[in-house]
Amino acid sequence: TQHASTFECRDKNLMFSKDFIGNFRILELRFAFMRFLMLMAQPTRLSLSIVVPSIVSDIPKISRLLQSISAQLYPPVEVVVVLSGSSSESCYQVEVLSLQFERTFNVIVVCHRELQNQAKSRNDGIKIAEGEWISFLDADDQKQPFYSEIFARYLRSRSNLKLFIHGYSKLLLNAEPVEHAWEVVEGDELWNEEISTRDKHPHLALPVMHSQATVHSSVTKFVLYRTEDQYFRLEDSYFVRDAIRFLRNSSSTIVFDSKPLGWHLPQAEQ
């Protein structure tokens, strides 16, 4: 009798062990599925660094700027804020306000105590940017919410793309405007535009938002912003020109899309 009882007890333990393993496997599958859902919930990032040159008075605008970047369908891997003329307190202030975006993209804050022009700040951002692509935003600018989607289309259709520039709008738009026949200029046309206007004025005659150029990181090994005083407030136009000259007239590497993918914050709202 004792033997039968012992056997029965062992059999129950065996049954309990099987149930436990089964339950554990179900839990394991549930956790794997939850991890999958979490990964799916994470936005697909572009290998893009956005460099933001700024000064202390720009700090109130930076939160709005970061919000516009987080609204992109494909957010960047990082935003590099270069804050010049800053103190430890103002630098800390930018670091704190950037924390709310850390799940969407990294925010790197570079602080300089001495005041410097935007060209130097942009070059500082270029030096530490880790994205395959680098784009630029002034503190009082924003990307339209459909910028990344349009840029991603060009990346898929032009494997040799090295410079992407676009148009601008005086209005902040909620969706891509499709009713207009937007002009796309590339290769020879863009090269000829640069040559024909070279001695007339710093900017291209096309409605380009020069301050928001997006360039492949390989180009910035040869082309940087001009930091001399005579290029102050013109450095973004010259940067676009210098990049076009460097890339020359290859149709697959240079594209201008006149869609208003950038927006400049009106002075009255700053």
Side-chain angles (χ1 to χ4, degrees), residues 21-229:
I21 291 173
N23 290 335
F24 180 78
R25 286 176 176 169
I26 291 172
L27 284 172
E28 192 176 36
L29 288 172
R30 285 179 178 174
F31 279 121
F33 184 64
M34 288 173 64
R35 285 196 299 270
F36 171 75
L37 290 179
M38 289 176 66
L39 287 172
M40 291 296 291
Q42 291 291 326
T44 301
R45 296 180 178 182
L46 289 172
S47 183
L48 172 69
S49 299
I50 296 181
V51 174
V52 181
S54 59
I55 56 177
V56 173
S57 60
D58 291 327
I59 292 177
K61 309 168 194 171
I62 291 176
S63 179
R64 176 163 42 183
L65 177 146
L66 294 175
Q67 190 65 50
S68 78
I69 296 173
S70 70
Q72 297 292 323
L73 179 62
Y74 305 118
V77 292
E78 64 182 9
V79 176
V80 182
V81 179
V82 183
L83 186 66
S84 73
S86 65
S87 62
S88 299
E89 182 181 352
S90 57
C91 191
Y92 177 72
Q93 189 178 350
V94 177
E95 289 174 345
V96 169
L97 67 85
S98 69
L99 291 176
Q100 61 183 301
F101 304 101
E102 62 183 357
R103 293 191 63 182
T104 309
F105 46 76
N106 297 325
V107 179
I108 300 168
V109 184
V110 181
C111 297
H112 296 295
R113 289 191 179 277
E114 294 184 4
L115 196 62
Q116 63 181 20
N117 63 36
Q118 286 190 323
K120 291 181 179 178
S121 293
R122 288 189 180 107
N123 288 342
D124 287 344
I126 288 171
K127 290 173 185 175
I128 66 171
E130 296 186 354
E132 181 181 359
W133 287 86
I134 303 173
S135 192
F136 304 91
L137 262 179
D138 290 345
D140 52 2
D141 287 350
Q142 289 187 32
K143 296 285 192 188
Q144 297 282 13
F146 43 88
Y147 155 80
S148 66
E149 187 174 0
I150 305 262
F151 177 52
R153 291 179 200 167
Y154 280 108
L155 289 181
R156 289 192 291 267
S157 62
R158 292 166 172 79
S159 59
N160 294 324
L161 186 65
K162 291 293 184 290
L163 174 66
F164 176 66
I165 49 180
H166 55 72
Y168 59 89
S169 172
K170 295 180 180 179
L171 300 173
L172 186 59
L173 306 173
N174 293 321
E176 177 188 348
V178 295
E179 72 282 358
H180 189 83
W182 300 104
E183 182 183 18
V184 175
V185 181
E186 53 190 314
D188 290 340
E189 286 186 78
L190 205 50
W191 168 255
N192 292 333
E193 162 69 18
E194 198 284 317
I195 293 176
S196 64
T197 60
R198 184 175 297 177
D199 299 324
K200 297 178 181 178
H201 39 68
H203 59 276
L204 300 176
L206 297 167
V208 175
M209 192 162 197
H210 297 81
S211 62
Q212 292 193 19
T214 303
V215 64
H216 194 269
S217 58
S218 62
V219 176
T220 61
K221 298 183 186 303
F222 304 94
V223 180
L224 290 171
Y225 282 85
R226 301 188 187 192
T227 59
E228 295 82 3
D229 290 342

Side-chain angles (χ1 to χ4, degrees), residues 117 119 226-236 238:
N117 63 36
R226 301 188 187 192
T227 59
E228 295 82 3
D229 290 342
Q230 64 264 37
Y231 301 114
F232 181 61
R233 295 192 179 278
L234 301 172
E235 68 277 356
D236 50 3
Y238 279 103

